[in-house]
Amino acid sequence: EVQLQASGGGLVQAGGSLRLSCAASGFTFDDYTIGWFRQAPGTEREGVSCISNSYGITHYADSVKGRFTISSDKAKNTVYLQMNSLRPEDTAVYYCAADTFRAVVSGRPNYWGQGTQVTVSS
């Protein structure tokens, strides 16, 4: 079965860094786009970033461009989100998700991990 396991969240001060991991299993890793989404209390879920190995492209929300970097390790079936220069407004539960590139960039992937909490203090 398709499984996605997000990890790496924590508490960090503004300006600090965290590296999130999304370990994938149960499907052909290279055939799917992996995306990161986040949801803060009282807000709608928003897309953060995604990566497609088949297309060889990455995508970032404007709010994180220049600060976050998405990457993948094919051997480990894992996607990472390196988050630098964190801001309090980055505080949210971060979820990884998988589907076609079209589904992920449209915000409608079918497979989701459980999420990991990121808290940025000022």
Side-chain angles (χ1 to χ4, degrees):
E1 64 182 277
V2 175
Q3 293 189 69
L4 300 166
Q5 182 68 47
S7 61
L11 175 64
V12 65
Q13 293 186 356
S17 298
L18 285 172
R19 188 194 194 197
L20 306 184
S21 298
C22 177
S25 63
F27 60 94
T28 303
F29 186 70
D30 286 345
D31 288 348
Y32 287 82
T33 293
I34 307 295
W36 287 97
F37 297 78
R38 66 187 182 186
Q39 187 167 22
T43 71
E44 295 184 348
R45 186 174 62 214
E46 64 173 339
V48 176
S49 182
C50 65
I51 184 168
S52 170
N53 287 327
S54 60
Y55 285 105
I57 58 174
T58 58
H59 183 270
Y60 298 92
D62 288 342
S63 60
V64 306
K65 286 181 180 177
R67 301 188 298 120
F68 292 9
T69 302
I70 192 168
S71 62
S72 64
D73 186 330
K74 181 179 178 180
K76 296 182 178 180
N77 280 5
T78 300
V79 168
Y80 304 97
L81 185 68
Q82 178 67 45
M83 306 186 296
N84 298 326
S85 301
L86 284 163
R87 305 165 180 169
E89 54 262 41
D90 294 318
T91 295
V93 177
Y94 284 70
Y95 301 89
C96 63
D99 211 322
T100 65
F101 177 77
R102 182 176 182 178
V104 171
V105 300
S106 297
R108 293 173 289 181
N110 285 302
Y111 301 101
W112 294 85
Q114 86 287 1
T116 184
Q117 176 71 47
V118 171
T119 303
V120 184
S121 62
S122 60

